[in-house]
């Protein structure tokens, strides 16, 4: 291996999400999100865990910001909790906004760029009871929430992300029922896809009207979809369909102003086209200043069914699909470690869509962490995972991709959605009983990379 240097001005940061780290779920006027309700339902979350206390970031943010500064991080990607800012999707809650003002002020005082996401899956439960993202009205309520947030915080923030991973919100939440709100309704899932994208476009317009100089983007989770047998028509069709549902159903309307014709046809039995009104695609495809890419693994797919999924299928319209295991290292989530796939997805966006700046807004891995005798956590696997993916990102830059930053997932160990507290993604260990933070080896290593803007041969 050789030393690699990233472009001057490359942005180094870490990421979290409100429900995963904040805790304080019933404090200062916050009301329930869909995840609070989901966690109360038996069997939904490993260990019966919930978002309280998480990493208690709501009360300990000053300590966490100081730690970020000590690590030399240049930016912090966090999400704003809709149920804090407009509880129940209704009136503005000044106390909720004040928390984010304090957080952002602390970041700026430490020369850390605040990089907020407006929606990281915590829809107010009251809006879900009116249909959630399957209800077109939710897109307009999201724009109202965006207006409130930007008016309050726009003097402190220069870059906004509207949505994080709408694929998960729509398909895991409304088709598979694996995530909140836990519905298994394919028709609702495809409606949610369009309404999430419409919400993005409406919010982006609102942000620009309020803060004309702001940069606005969205974050998508992207993965190469690889057929097991490229000579098998069944495998090829499943790969096409999954690629359409994972990537193109979002990228095409955002960056081309149209949905893919084959996916419109695939989803016709589920009424997808009925939700697309005149003018919607113009709103969705409004100018974007950047695209966030979240990457964790590849999907290796076969048309051979692999038993009964119990109805927990996120791939609407795909009856037979399985994901055979290859001979590769896996993370504690069971995901294959495939760094080259990151180069692939970055190159795909670069080659197939109008050019715009890209940021890796999430990349990281869950591994089991063990303290050594001296009280340290030598997370060699996580460090190696991030290093290999940074090299893959640099390969894309060398090939001409306009990649401008990297946010590792995650700053802190936290509530990992349906996995509860059983999986640890953080570069900083959190003892959930004491809330003591311990930077892992990966944190100290990543700190050096960020300060050097480079990986040395031993990294």
């Amino acid at each position: 291996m050789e030393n690699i240097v990233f472009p001057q001005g490359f942005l180094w940061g870490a990421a979290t999400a409100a429900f995963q780290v904040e805790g304080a779920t019933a404090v200062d006027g916050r009301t329930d999100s869909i995840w609070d309700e989901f966690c109360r339902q038996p069997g939904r979350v490993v260990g019966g865990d919930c978002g309280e206390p998480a990493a208690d970031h709501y009360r300990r943010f000053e300590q966490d910001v100081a730690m970020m500064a000590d690590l030399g991080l240049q930016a912090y990607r966090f999400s704003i909790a809709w149920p804090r800012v407009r509880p129940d999707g209704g009136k503005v809650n000044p106390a909720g906004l004040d928390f984010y003002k304090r957080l952002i002020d602390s970041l700026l005082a430490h020369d850390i760029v605040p990089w907020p996401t407006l929606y990281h899956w915590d829809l107010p439960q009251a809006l879900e009871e009116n249909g959630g993202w399957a209800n077109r009205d939710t897109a307009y309520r999201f724009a109202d929430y965006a207006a409130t947030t930007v008016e309050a915080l726009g003097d402190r923030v220069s870059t906004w992300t509207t949505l994080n991973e709408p694929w998960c919100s729509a398909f895991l939440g409304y088709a598979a029922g694996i995530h909140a709100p836990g519905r298994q309704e394919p028709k609702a899932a495809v409606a949610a896809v369009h309404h999430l994208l419409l919400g993005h476009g409406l919010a982006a317009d609102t942000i620009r009207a309020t803060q004309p100089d702001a940069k606005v983007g969205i974050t998508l989770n992207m993965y190469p979809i690889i057929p097991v047998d490229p000579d098998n028509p069944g495998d090829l069709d499943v790969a096409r369909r999954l690629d359409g549902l994972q990537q193109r159903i979002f990228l095409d309307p955002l960056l081309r102003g149209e949905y893919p014709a084959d996916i419109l046809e695939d989803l016709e039995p589920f009424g997808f086209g009925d939700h697309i009104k005149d003018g919607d695609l113009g709103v969705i495809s409004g100018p974007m200043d950047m695209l966030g890419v979240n990457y964790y693994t590849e999907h290796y797919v076969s048309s051979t069914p692999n038993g009964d999924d119990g109805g927990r299928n996120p791939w609407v319209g795909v009856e037979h699909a399985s994901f055979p295991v290859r001979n590769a290292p896996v993370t504690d989530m069971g995901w294959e470690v495939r760094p080259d796939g990151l180069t692939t997805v970055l190159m795909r966006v670069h080659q197939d869509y109008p050019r715009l700046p890209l940021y890796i807004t999430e990349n990281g891995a869950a591994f089991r962490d063990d303290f050594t005798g001296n009280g340290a956590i030598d997370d060699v696997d996580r460090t190696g995972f991030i290093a290999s993916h940074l090299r893959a990102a640099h390969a894309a830059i060398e090939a001409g991709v306009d990649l401008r930053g990297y946010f590792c997932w995650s700053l802190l160990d936290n509530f990992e959605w349906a996995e509860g507290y059983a999986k640890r993604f953080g570069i900083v260990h959190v003892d959930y009983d004491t809330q003591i933070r311990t930077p892992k080896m990966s944190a100290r290593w990543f700190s050096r990379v960020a300060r050097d803007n480079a990986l040395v041969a031993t990294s």
Side-chain angles (χ1 to χ4, degrees), residues 369-404:
D369 296 327
D370 296 310
F371 282 93
T372 63
N374 61 2
I377 299 174
D378 294 338
D379 55 339
V380 175
D381 288 340
R382 182 175 294 104
T383 303
F385 181 99
I386 297 174
S388 65
H389 285 74
L390 286 176
R391 291 185 179 277
H394 190 268
I397 294 172
E398 291 281 281
V401 174
D402 186 9
L403 181 66
R404 299 190 182 183

Side-chain angles (χ1 to χ4, degrees), residues 171 175 185-187 189-190 237-238 240-242 245 263 265-270 313-321:
F171 291 117
E185 303 168 33
K187 290 184 178 180
V190 300
D237 187 61
V238 165
R240 176 195 62 79
R241 287 171 177 264
L242 267 60
L245 294 171
I263 300 306
E265 183 178 351
D266 290 344
L267 297 181
E268 184 178 2
F270 305 94
N313 175 23
W315 308 106
V316 174
V318 183
E319 295 183 5
H320 301 301

